[in-house]
Amino acid sequence: MSVSETHRLGAELELVARSSLHTLLEHLGGAVYALRNSVEGGVHTLWLELAPSECSLDEAISRYAAIFDALPPEMRAVWDSCTDRCVNVGLQAGFRPHAFSLQASCDAIAKLACLGLRLQITLYAPDPPEMGRSAQEQEGPC
């Protein structure tokens, strides 16, 4: 894929709580990768990515729903203690195509709502072309 093409990067699950999320992360094991696990000012933040990565937004939501619907009661209590739960979809903007469509099915949206997840879309601007390089050089050989 060319760096000048708009594409979906992935769907992270971001959790925020006033208490530790460490036990929840341990419970999830190999189903997710931790991208961030931090505490700042008494606020615990955990950002997760599916392992292996998903192919579509619907797949990501379905897999997150399956993981968190199956939590045992003690882990569900940790989930319920989160003050914010978000599926954050990253999009890398490019110069093509003219329009880029990102879709979530009604079923996926219902799963988000059932788990109390909000949906956030983060659009990353394309890097400006470097001075003195041709468009072909910037895109690379593939």
Side-chain angles (χ1 to χ4, degrees), residues 1-2 14-15 19 25 41 62-63 66 69 74 79 81 89-91 97 103 107 109 113 118 120 134 139-140:
M1 179 174 308
S2 165
E14 301 173 0
L15 303 174
S19 58
L25 178 59
S62 291
R63 287 175 56 196
D69 278 341
E74 63 275 9
W79 171 264
S81 75
V89 181
L91 298 176
Q103 299 177 25
D107 184 53
I109 293 168
R118 64 184 177 84
Q120 177 174 313
S134 71
E139 289 183 9

Side-chain angles (χ1 to χ4, degrees), residues 29-46:
V32 295
Y33 299 116
L35 300 175
R36 177 180 179 178
N37 186 8
S38 64
V39 182
E40 293 178 27
V43 176
H44 299 256
T45 303
L46 181 60

Side-chain angles (χ1 to χ4, degrees), residues 4-75:
S4 65
E5 291 183 43
T6 299
H7 58 281
R8 190 178 63 81
L9 298 170
E12 299 172 3
L13 181 67
E14 301 173 0
L15 303 174
V16 177
R18 291 187 180 95
S19 58
S20 176
L21 297 168
H22 183 74
T23 56
L24 181 60
L25 178 59
E26 282 185 339
H27 175 79
L28 297 174
V32 295
Y33 299 116
L35 300 175
R36 177 180 179 178
N37 186 8
S38 64
V39 182
E40 293 178 27
V43 176
H44 299 256
T45 303
L46 181 60
W47 293 357
L48 305 171
E49 183 176 69
L50 290 165
S53 188
E54 77 284 351
C55 293
S56 70
L57 179 55
D58 273 11
E59 179 189 348
I61 293 169
S62 291
R63 287 175 56 196
Y64 282 130
I67 290 166
F68 292 102
D69 278 341
L71 289 176
E74 63 275 9
M75 291 299 108

Side-chain angles (χ1 to χ4, degrees), residues 60 93 100 125:
F100 181 83

Side-chain angles (χ1 to χ4, degrees), residues 126-141:
D127 290 327
E130 291 182 36
M131 300 302 286
R133 290 181 63 197
S134 71
Q136 185 177 12
E137 288 174 321
Q138 291 172 34
E139 289 183 9

Side-chain angles (χ1 to χ4, degrees), residues 90-113:
L91 298 176
Q92 177 61 60
F95 299 103
R96 308 186 283 270
H98 175 71
F100 181 83
S101 176
L102 178 69
Q103 299 177 25
S105 68
C106 293
D107 184 53
I109 293 168
K111 288 175 182 175
L112 288 172

